[in-house]
Amino acid sequence: MKTPHDIIRRPVLTEKGYLGIAEKKYVFEVDVTANKVEIKNALEAVFKDIKVKSVNTLRVLGKIKRQGRTQGRTPEVKKAYVTLTEDSKPIEFFEGMI
């Protein structure tokens, strides 16, 4: 069984991600095999005082890279766009980044 820290890999810190912090919308990189329910339960387990309203997921295929004659792909990534409820507390990790 996966632990919550296996499902949530890391936060995605981009300009678009920073714009959503004021509206309680956060972006995380998650495990490729995780579904929306698992992501919601993992976030509520890791960050105690939050309530997740919705989870939208996005899969990004790896780019094809070449090194001479050989070619391969960069790893595939899955992102989760998480919206918290209005009465939920913000995530403490992101508080100083607004």
Side-chain angles (χ1 to χ4, degrees), residues 18 21 91-98:
Y18 286 132
I21 291 175
I91 297 177
E92 294 175 8
F93 178 80
F94 294 97
E95 281 184 11
M97 298 183 185
I98 296 176

Side-chain angles (χ1 to χ4, degrees), residues 19-39:
L19 294 175
I21 291 175
E23 301 168 1
K24 295 187 179 180
K25 294 181 181 180
Y26 303 97
V27 184
F28 293 94
E29 183 181 315
V30 295
D31 185 32
V32 178
T33 60
N35 61 28
K36 293 181 181 185
V37 176
E38 290 175 340
I39 294 167

Side-chain angles (χ1 to χ4, degrees), residues 43-96:
L43 283 168
E44 290 177 349
V46 171
F47 304 106
K48 297 296 181 192
D49 296 328
I50 67 167
K51 294 179 184 175
V52 176
K53 180 179 177 182
S54 67
V55 176
N56 295 331
T57 58
L58 170 78
R59 286 178 58 179
V60 180
L61 294 176
K63 293 182 180 179
I64 296 176
K65 297 289 186 176
R66 290 186 49 170
Q67 189 77 32
R69 284 187 285 166
T70 61
Q71 70 180 18
R73 284 191 174 267
T74 58
E76 183 178 334
V77 178
K78 188 172 191 177
K79 294 180 188 177
Y81 290 85
V82 179
T83 305
L84 303 182
T85 59
E86 292 181 9
D87 60 338
S88 175
K89 292 184 180 179
I91 297 177
E92 294 175 8
F93 178 80
F94 294 97
E95 281 184 11

Side-chain angles (χ1 to χ4, degrees), residues 1-8 38 42 45-46:
M1 184 171 181
K2 298 178 195 174
T3 64
H5 293 287
D6 290 338
I7 294 173
I8 302 168
E38 290 175 340
V46 171

